[in-house]
Amino acid sequence: MTLRLSLAALALLLPGCGLVLDAASPSDGAELDAGLGIDASEPGADAATSVDADTTRDDAGGEPVDCADVGDGVECATSPRFICLHGSCALSFCGDGFVDRGAGEACEPEGDTSCGVGCQRQCVEDTDCESANPCVASTCVDGRCASEERVGACPLGDGDDGTCAGGVCRPTGCGNHEIEPDRGEECEGTPVDGCVGCRLACHANLDCDDGDPCNGIERCERVVSETTGELLGRRCERGEPVVCDAGDDCHTARCVADGARARCEQVAIDRDGDGFLDCEDCDPTDPNIHPGAVEICNMADDDCDGMVDEETGSAVWCLDRDGDGYGDPAMTRTSCERPTEGAWVRDCRDCWDSDRGAFRARAALVHPGQTAFFTSAYMREDGTSSFDYDCDGAETPEHDRVVECERVGLLLCEREAGWAEAVPDCGASGRYATCLPGVLICASRTSAVTQGCR
């Protein structure tokens, strides 16, 4: 689509630009039109402003210029400058894709990285790229300034000379990136490169020896540049520690230094110090239990013969009134034979044992090793209550987490469950949330739950 405006309207749109109309009017007295339009179908005209050829004049005689009959670049209107471009009269500007020599343009930025501000080259001669840095040489290459680092001496000021290193004029000496043997320098790297104070960290393997052969033989290794292969320095590298294997369960092996050599030494294992090696002892942590020990009535195989409490005197038995397999530590008898009257057991760890009516069934649930959780406490005969069903001395809640259902990815919600607010006490109710996976948002389902404990 072409937008058409009169030249008078164009003059208003471009104030101060000096758009001049031909003083001669058309013979029929009609207003001279000037078409100002953007036609995306015309090559090169997507960002150009064009003027109809039948209303434009040349500079010399004021005669109309027909852009269909001339090449690109011919001026077809002035103030501002219009040129013929792809058969139309278009506004000439830097960035229109056409190098308008008549407007002083030397290049166009599109596709030309050397084209700078105002469609001018960044440089023409080397002098256009001169740098005040004595350690950087700049030249003009294909219209662009190219820089490279200089090497050698450079002025530091106050009459002193330095050395160019890394594009910077540095004082002569260690740290100027140039090895100066006359100053005793051997390298110009970092401690990581094995260069310390411009001296190599080591020269031979002996310089790295720590005197302990068990942790391996230390070596003085060369450090070279991965790009140039240049020697950066020398640094000490650790050796491989000596690994000793005992070969059986009765001994352990350790490395010991024998002068400059390392050797493995076996050490017998007897952790409880009863004179029997761990591999021979049926309980290597108890010095009273070992082969040949005196068997006593203690529910243990004291002499390591595979039998418990044989030929012994007595043992402690506890009465199990609720039948849960655990006895009341307050109700005991001493004997190596199980008492015949009542239910007696050797495990005396029950924290509540009772055979009184309704109490007995509840007491049978209270014993060490209980894995279930309960929402109500048990009541003892003395009127005290507790949620400690597993007799570990603590009331352990079944659910002790508080969760917030949050998205952990673009379309992922973490599936978890926990209390929506604070963790309620044992036997108290609270809102329990289950986080559900969803798309974009995370949902949750809550319900009233009573806190169980054991």
Side-chain angles (χ1 to χ4, degrees):
M1 179 179 71
T2 301
L3 177 64
R4 301 183 59 86
L5 298 174
S6 68
L7 286 180
L10 180 60
L12 292 176
L13 289 174
L14 302 171
C17 294
L19 180 60
V20 179
L21 303 181
D22 195 320
S25 301
S27 58
D28 59 358
E31 179 181 1
L32 180 62
D33 290 338
L36 179 63
I38 300 175
D39 191 345
S41 64
E42 297 180 4
D46 56 340
T49 303
S50 63
V51 178
D52 286 350
D54 60 351
T55 62
T56 57
R57 309 283 178 173
D58 63 12
D59 290 337
E63 294 298 328
V65 175
D66 188 353
C67 288
D69 298 333
V70 300
D72 291 348
V74 175
E75 186 175 17
C76 54
T78 60
S79 299
R81 178 180 172 84
F82 282 75
I83 59 174
C84 290
L85 190 62
H86 305 301
S88 299
C89 190
L91 176 66
S92 176
F93 61 93
C94 180
D96 61 4
F98 178 78
V99 179
D100 187 0
R101 304 291 183 182
E105 295 181 358
C107 56
E108 277 287 332
E110 184 178 357
D112 188 349
T113 57
S114 67
C115 192
V117 178
C119 288
Q120 301 300 316
R121 296 290 181 189
Q122 295 179 5
C123 62
V124 178
E125 300 178 354
D126 291 345
T127 55
D128 298 336
C129 303
E130 288 183 350
S131 172
N133 188 343
C135 291
V136 175
S138 299
T139 57
C140 185
V141 180
D142 296 330
R144 299 182 65 187
C145 289
S147 300
E148 62 180 7
E149 297 178 3
R150 287 190 174 122
V151 296
C154 58
L156 277 173
D158 298 331
D160 295 331
D161 289 334
T163 304
C164 286
V168 178
C169 189
R170 304 177 186 273
T172 301
C174 184
N176 66 354
H177 292 230
E178 184 170 328
I179 301 175
E180 299 169 295
D182 57 335
R183 293 177 175 268
E185 296 180 2
E186 297 178 318
C187 53
E188 273 283 347
T190 66
V192 176
D193 299 325
C195 184
V196 180
C198 293
R199 299 281 296 177
L200 299 178
C202 61
H203 293 82
N205 292 341
L206 190 60
D207 298 335
C208 303
D209 188 8
D210 64 357
D212 183 2
C214 286
N215 62 10
I217 305 301
E218 292 76 22
R219 305 179 308 280
C220 182
E221 298 286 352
R222 288 166 47 90
V223 182
V224 298
S225 170
E226 295 181 356
T227 55
T228 65
E230 174 189 5
L231 177 66
L232 300 178
R234 286 179 175 271
R235 66 185 174 204
C236 292
E237 297 289 348
R238 294 181 178 179
E240 291 293 331
V242 177
V243 178
C244 296
D245 184 9
D248 60 47
D249 296 333
C250 290
H251 299 81
T252 184
R254 64 185 180 186
C255 178
V256 294
D258 187 3
R261 298 176 60 253
R263 63 181 179 85
C264 290
E265 179 181 83
Q266 279 192 340
V267 179
I269 305 175
D270 180 13
R271 285 178 290 170
D272 56 15
D274 58 6
F276 292 87
L277 300 183
D278 282 11
C279 59
E280 304 168 337
D281 202 334
C282 59
D283 187 350
T285 63
D286 190 337
N288 297 314
I289 299 178
H290 55 77
V294 177
E295 186 77 16
I296 62 176
C297 186
N298 59 357
M299 289 290 292
D301 181 11
D302 300 289
D303 56 6
C304 295
D305 64 354
M307 294 182 290
V308 176
D309 291 348
E310 79 280 5
E311 301 176 357
T312 61
S314 61
V316 176
W317 299 84
C318 294
L319 184 60
D320 178 19
R321 292 173 294 177
D322 56 15
D324 60 4
Y326 299 87
D328 186 349
M331 304 289 291
T332 63
R333 284 188 181 181
T334 302
S335 171
C336 269
E337 299 292 336
R338 184 190 299 272
T340 56
E341 69 278 13
W344 296 85
V345 295
R346 295 293 299 272
D347 195 329
C348 302
R349 295 179 297 153
D350 207 349
C351 56
W352 183 39
D353 191 271
S354 176
D355 61 352
R356 291 181 54 188
F359 290 102
R360 188 180 191 281
R362 198 71 168 178
L365 300 175
V366 182
H367 56 76
Q370 175 62 266
T371 59
F373 292 91
F374 301 86
T375 57
S376 61
Y378 60 83
M379 186 74 67
R380 302 184 185 93
E381 293 92 329
D382 61 2
T384 60
S385 63
S386 175
F387 276 91
D388 183 17
Y389 279 83
D390 58 2
C391 295
D392 65 351
E395 296 181 346
T396 305
E398 181 178 8
H399 305 293
D400 60 356
R401 295 184 60 204
V402 175
V403 299
E404 294 181 5
C405 298
E406 297 179 346
R407 180 157 48 91
V408 297
L410 180 60
L411 298 176
L412 179 62
C413 295
E414 185 175 2
R415 182 186 292 275
E416 59 180 352
W419 300 105
E421 299 174 354
V423 178
D425 295 333
C426 296
S429 295
R431 300 301 297 175
Y432 195 79
T434 301
C435 301
L436 305 174
V439 179
L440 297 181
I441 61 174
C442 298
S444 66
R445 182 177 63 242
T446 62
S447 57
V449 173
T450 302
Q451 176 73 285
C453 293
R454 68 176 178 217

